[in-house]
Amino acid sequence: MKKTAIYPGTFDPITYGHIDVIQKSLKIVDKVIVGISNGNQKNYLFSIDERIEIVNKALFSDLRFNKSKIKVVSFNSLTTELCKKYKSKIILRGLRAVSDFEYEFQLAGMNRKLNEKIETIFLMSDVDNQVISSRLVKEIAQLKGNLKKFITKSVIKEINKKVWN
């Protein structure tokens, strides 16, 4: 039986940290659904349509990932509902530092309460990617810093267009 995992997030924008988690997850599951959240909790730099396009360009144009193994979708529901839609019993979450763990642990517990058949798998980013966050990438962009170590070429183009136009 093929295993599908849901990797939810805002991806505002997608970073090498996110991409690292996707690459690692493909070693343990057959397909990853990258679920881009359009919840109201955050002030996004990019619209949901822009984020979908940016993630697709980063994964499939810049990095040439296999389209049959990754699907990019938007959602504005509970992650457990997204799991149900794609018949997945796995939620992927990336951890960068110990400080991420407490929030992620609570989130995993709540998802388990919502659907006891769903497991959350935590994947650590490589050391080089552990300091990267979308928030810091946006801040570096606003201060005209070099983004090459944090995001792909197409993402750099889009973030600079958004921040400086």
Side-chain angles (χ1 to χ4, degrees), residues 4-60:
T4 298
I6 304 296
Y7 182 33
T10 57
F11 304 100
D12 188 39
I14 189 168
T15 69
Y16 283 131
H18 296 123
I19 292 164
D20 192 17
V21 169
I22 293 168
Q23 284 180 302
K24 287 178 177 177
S25 69
L26 288 171
K27 294 176 184 176
I28 56 176
V29 299
D30 301 299
K31 185 164 188 149
V32 175
I33 307 296
V34 178
I36 303 177
S37 174
N38 197 26
N40 297 327
Q41 296 90 337
K42 293 190 176 185
N43 292 324
Y44 301 113
L45 178 62
F46 296 102
S47 71
I48 188 66
D49 292 334
E50 289 170 325
R51 286 183 279 144
I52 291 168
E53 184 178 339
I54 289 167
V55 170
N56 278 312
K57 280 183 186 175
L59 297 178
F60 305 123

Side-chain angles (χ1 to χ4, degrees), residues 100-164:
D100 288 346
F101 184 74
E102 187 174 342
Y103 171 75
E104 294 296 342
F105 181 78
Q106 289 178 320
L107 192 58
M110 292 301 287
N111 285 328
R112 183 74 175 187
K113 288 272 191 201
L114 290 166
N115 185 334
E116 64 186 28
K117 294 177 182 174
I118 294 175
E119 294 291 342
T120 299
I121 297 176
F122 298 105
L123 295 172
M124 295 291 298
S125 297
D126 283 338
V127 173
D128 291 347
N129 295 319
Q130 287 180 357
V131 298
I132 303 172
S133 73
S134 296
R135 182 182 56 79
L136 291 176
V137 165
K138 290 183 273 195
E139 196 171 314
I140 291 166
Q142 289 170 337
L143 297 170
K144 298 184 181 182
N146 187 340
L147 296 168
K148 288 181 185 173
K149 293 180 181 178
F150 311 114
I151 54 180
T152 68
K153 288 180 182 182
S154 68
V155 181
I156 291 171
K157 181 179 174 185
E158 293 302 318
I159 200 168
N160 283 336
K161 200 181 345 175
K162 184 68 93 168
V163 171
W164 297 109

Side-chain angles (χ1 to χ4, degrees), residues 34-94:
V34 178
I36 303 177
S37 174
N38 197 26
N40 297 327
Q41 296 90 337
K42 293 190 176 185
N43 292 324
Y44 301 113
L45 178 62
F46 296 102
S47 71
I48 188 66
D49 292 334
E50 289 170 325
R51 286 183 279 144
I52 291 168
E53 184 178 339
I54 289 167
V55 170
N56 278 312
K57 280 183 186 175
L59 297 178
F60 305 123
S61 296
D62 293 346
L63 301 172
R64 308 238 186 263
F65 280 24
N66 185 339
K67 287 184 180 181
S68 69
K69 293 186 174 279
I70 302 167
K71 180 176 178 128
V72 179
V73 301
S74 67
F75 75 106
N76 60 0
S77 64
L78 293 169
T79 303
T80 54
E81 290 300 312
L82 191 63
C83 288
K84 187 186 297 184
K85 180 177 180 178
Y86 289 98
K87 297 177 177 66
S88 173
K89 294 179 181 166
I90 302 167
I91 296 173
L92 300 170
R93 298 299 293 175

